[in-house]
Amino acid sequence: WKEEEMERVKFLLKYLLFAYILTGGLLMLLALMVYRFSLSEKIVSIVIIGIYIGATFFAGFATGKKLKTQKYLWGLLIGGMYFLVLIILSLVVNHSFKDVASNFVTVLMMCAGSGMLGGMVS
C-alpha cells in the first residue's frame, strides 16, 4: 500500500473510534437520564437513534473535511463501517442474529445515510 492510502485508513479508523467513544459517552448519559427521570422506552429508542445518527454524521463530516475529495463516498464508507462494527458488537453480546435482523436495513440506512450527509455538508 502507498503511504497516502495508509494515512487515509488510519484517519478513517481514528474517526470511527471517536464516533464510538462519542456513542458510548452519550449512551452513558442516556442511562443516567433513564435512571434519574424514568424515561419511557419510546423516548429511549428515539434518543438512541439520534445518537447513532449524530455520531455517524460527525464522523462523515470530519472525514469529508480532511479528505476533501469524494466527500460523500468517504462519509458513506465511515457510516457503513460504523454499522458493521455495531452489528458485530450486537452479535457478540446477544449471541444471535434475531434481534439484529429486525431493524437491519433501517439502521444500515440511518448510519450510512447520516455519514454520507455529513461528508456532503463538510
Side-chain angles (χ1 to χ4, degrees), residues 15 18-19 22 52-64 78 114-115 118-119:
Y15 272 97
F18 185 78
L22 178 64
Y52 291 165
I53 290 171
T56 52
F57 179 87
F58 173 77
F61 184 85
T63 303
I78 203 156
S114 60

Side-chain angles (χ1 to χ4, degrees), residues 75-114:
L76 179 66
L77 178 64
I78 203 156
M81 289 169 55
Y82 181 94
F83 173 75
L84 183 63
V85 173
L86 190 66
I87 290 299
I88 291 169
L89 289 174
S90 182
L91 288 172
V92 167
V93 170
N94 294 330
H95 303 293
S96 114
F97 196 70
K98 183 179 63 170
D99 296 334
V100 174
S102 63
N103 298 318
F104 187 87
V105 174
T106 305
V107 176
L108 172 62
M109 292 301 158
M110 286 187 316
C111 292
S114 60

